[in-house]
């Protein structure tokens, strides 16, 4: 299973970006899928995710600014980020908990995409 993330870049404060993450490989089902981020010198933290039952979970710091969405047939999740702030600067990682065709459930990480918010 591979997670391919894209969409990062440099944006000015107040701007917007959209991240995409596509899962591919021997996937039977995806239980949880979402985004984490890690800023320099800080621990990796949850940003937003689809959790069990199709519900969403957001970090308090991004609520009302970020929106997670998904395209199930494409095994893809998106993160629409608006009103970006310098403190949103981080490497954003896609994460998925996947049941593969051998019926094992494993956790996978994408390669990370850098988001820089700066004027």
């Amino acid at each position: 299973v591979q997670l391919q993330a894209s969409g990062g870049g440099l944006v000015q404060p107040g701007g917007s970006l959209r991240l995409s993450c596509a899962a591919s490989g021997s996937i039977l089902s995806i239980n949880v899928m979402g985004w984490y981020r890690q800023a320099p010198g800080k621990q990796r933290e949850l940003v937003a995710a689809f959790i069990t039952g199709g519900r969403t979970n957001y970090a308090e710091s991004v609520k009302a600014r970020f929106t997670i969405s998904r395209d199930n047939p494409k095994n893809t999740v998106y993160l629409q980020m608006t009103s970006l702030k310098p403190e949103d600067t981080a490497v954003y990682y896609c994460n998925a908990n996947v049941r593969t065709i051998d019926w094992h459930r494993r956790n996978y990480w994408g390669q990370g995409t850098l988001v820089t918010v700066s004027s």
Side-chain angles (χ1 to χ4, degrees):
V1 174
Q2 290 187 328
L3 302 182
Q4 183 66 45
S6 62
L10 173 64
V11 63
Q12 291 187 343
S16 300
L17 278 177
R18 188 193 195 209
L19 305 182
S20 301
C21 176
S24 61
S26 303
I27 298 169
L28 190 60
S29 64
I30 299 177
N31 185 39
V32 175
M33 192 169 182
W35 294 93
Y36 286 71
R37 68 186 179 187
Q38 188 166 19
K42 294 188 177 182
Q43 289 188 331
R44 193 173 296 189
E45 63 175 358
L46 172 71
V47 178
F50 283 101
I51 59 177
T52 304
R55 295 169 296 165
T56 55
N57 191 22
Y58 289 91
E60 284 295 326
S61 61
V62 307
K63 282 183 178 179
R65 298 190 298 124
F66 292 8
T67 302
I68 190 169
S69 60
R70 62 186 175 182
D71 185 334
N72 286 335
K74 295 182 178 180
N75 290 326
T76 299
V77 292
Y78 305 95
L79 185 67
Q80 180 67 48
M81 304 184 292
T82 63
S83 301
L84 282 160
K85 305 175 181 180
E87 51 263 44
D88 294 317
T89 296
V91 178
Y92 284 70
Y93 295 93
C94 181
N95 173 267
N97 188 270
V98 177
R99 186 179 294 282
T100 50
I101 59 174
D102 60 0
W103 282 90
H104 286 103
R105 184 174 292 282
R106 299 180 180 91
N107 200 43
Y108 294 90
W109 291 94
Q111 82 280 13
T113 184
L114 177 62
V115 172
T116 303
V117 185
S118 175
S119 55

